[in-house]
């Protein structure tokens, strides 16, 4: 009975969610599209001509947003979008999709091969593990995904590139922040309005890779 009440409560909240209604109106595949839209409006992440990698892309709402921001007046994509997810994803026009588990080396090799050695301007990740309800185990899985995303970004981003990842406040959060600070010149946390208030979800944004010979800030200063 309690489970049934919980499900009904969630469904009622979902139906009445203004972002769900807005996503339906604008034909986005999920309300999550507005999280990326809001962060991009604040930080100007997506610019014409960029190569962007979307990790954990299914169902494809972030790809839709990325495409909107990269399509020129003539309807042609000015840039490149490569997406990856362990789940299948309905095609999004102009998006190259790789299906596989990001935690597997062979899948990472396929993703790298798809990029063909081209450097990346932006990596975005809305990935999250299937939550078990066991706090320490879920935190460890989330931290693992963040570490893999950072490692991928370090090896594929341009020096002035950026990485945006989902994370959760709680166990492991401070370690994820420190990981970002070791690799990026500028690190900020973002909590978009489209992220539900009760959710521990937040996003970490790192910009400008630190060089091995000190810190080179592509945004105008050296620290």
């Amino acid at each position: 009975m309690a489970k049934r009440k919980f499900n009904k409560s969630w469904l009622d909240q979902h139906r009445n969610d203004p972002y769900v209604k807005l996503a339906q109106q604008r034909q986005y595949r999920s309300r999550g599209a507005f999280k990326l839209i809001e962060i991009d409006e604040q930080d100007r992440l997506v610019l014409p001509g960029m190569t962007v990698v979307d990790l954990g892309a299914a169902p494809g709402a972030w790809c839709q947003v990325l495409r909107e921001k990269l399509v020129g007046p003539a309807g042609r994509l000015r840039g490149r979008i490569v997406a990856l997810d362990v789940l299948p994803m309905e095609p999004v026009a102009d998006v190259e999709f790789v299906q596989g588990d990001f935690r597997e080396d062979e899948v990472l090799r396929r993703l790298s091969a798809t990029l063909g050695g081209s450097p990346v301007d932006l990596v975005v990740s809305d990935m999250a593990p299937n939550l078990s309800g066991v706090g320490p185990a879920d935190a460890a899985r989330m931290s693992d995904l963040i570490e893999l995303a950072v490692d991928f970004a370090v090896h594929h981003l341009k020096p002035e590139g950026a990485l945006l990842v989902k994370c959760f406040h709680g166990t492991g959060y401070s370690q994820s922040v420190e990981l970002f600070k070791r690799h990026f010149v500028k690190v900020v946390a973002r909590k978009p309005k489209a992220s539900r208030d009760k959710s521990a979800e937040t996003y970490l944004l790192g910009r400008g890779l630190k060089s091995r010979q000190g810190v080179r800030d592509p945004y105008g200063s050296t620290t």
Side-chain angles (χ1 to χ4, degrees):
M1 183 65 69
K3 184 177 181 181
R4 215 175 268 177
K5 286 182 179 178
F6 172 80
N7 288 341
K8 185 178 185 304
S9 174
W10 184 89
L11 286 171
D12 289 343
Q13 181 186 22
H14 187 74
R15 291 193 192 102
N16 296 322
D17 188 318
Y19 289 104
V20 171
K21 295 177 180 179
L22 196 55
Q24 292 169 345
Q25 292 171 10
R26 295 178 60 173
Q27 298 186 325
Y28 288 133
R29 295 180 183 181
S30 80
R31 67 188 300 286
F34 298 101
K35 300 173 187 177
L36 181 59
I37 289 171
E38 184 179 338
I39 294 170
D40 181 66
E41 286 175 351
Q42 183 173 1
D43 295 286
R44 288 185 53 81
L45 295 177
V46 190
L47 299 172
M50 282 187 163
T51 294
V52 185
V53 174
D54 183 357
L55 303 174
W62 279 26
C63 287
Q64 290 176 297
V65 173
L66 293 169
R67 184 181 182 277
E68 285 179 353
K69 294 181 177 294
L70 292 179
V71 166
R76 298 180 65 178
L77 191 72
R78 297 179 293 176
R80 189 181 183 194
I81 305 167
V82 178
L84 178 143
D85 202 288
V86 67
L87 299 173
M89 186 179 83
E90 287 295 318
V92 176
D94 301 314
V95 174
E96 303 167 65
F97 180 65
V98 177
Q99 185 175 352
D101 191 331
F102 186 63
R103 295 167 295 184
E104 297 178 1
D105 290 341
E106 187 273 332
V107 174
L108 286 174
R109 282 193 291 269
R110 280 198 285 129
L111 179 58
S112 296
T114 300
L115 290 168
S118 298
V120 175
D121 298 279
L122 173 65
V123 177
V124 297
S125 171
D126 203 27
M127 289 189 296
N130 292 325
L131 300 179
S132 66
V134 180
D138 290 337
R141 293 189 187 101
M142 192 68 194
S143 295
D144 183 48
L145 289 176
I146 293 170
E147 288 174 11
L148 286 170
V150 170
D151 185 68
F152 177 83
V154 167
H155 286 89
H156 292 85
L157 279 178
K158 294 178 180 178
E160 68 277 13
L163 169 66
L164 175 71
V165 303
K166 180 193 304 204
C167 58
F168 295 111
H169 275 288
T171 304
Y173 176 75
S174 60
Q175 289 88 341
S176 295
V177 172
E178 287 304 313
L179 177 65
F180 263 64
K181 287 182 176 179
R182 284 202 300 271
H183 292 287
F184 293 97
V185 174
K186 295 183 181 295
V187 178
V188 295
R190 297 290 183 235
K191 177 74 171 178
K193 294 177 183 177
S195 184
R196 292 187 172 98
D197 291 338
K198 294 180 181 179
S199 172
E201 172 188 83
T202 190
Y203 291 84
L204 284 178
L205 172 61
R207 307 189 83 158
L209 288 173
K210 290 184 176 181
S211 69
R212 294 181 182 178
Q213 293 77 34
V215 177
R216 188 177 68 79
D217 184 347
Y219 300 97
S221 64
T222 302
T223 59

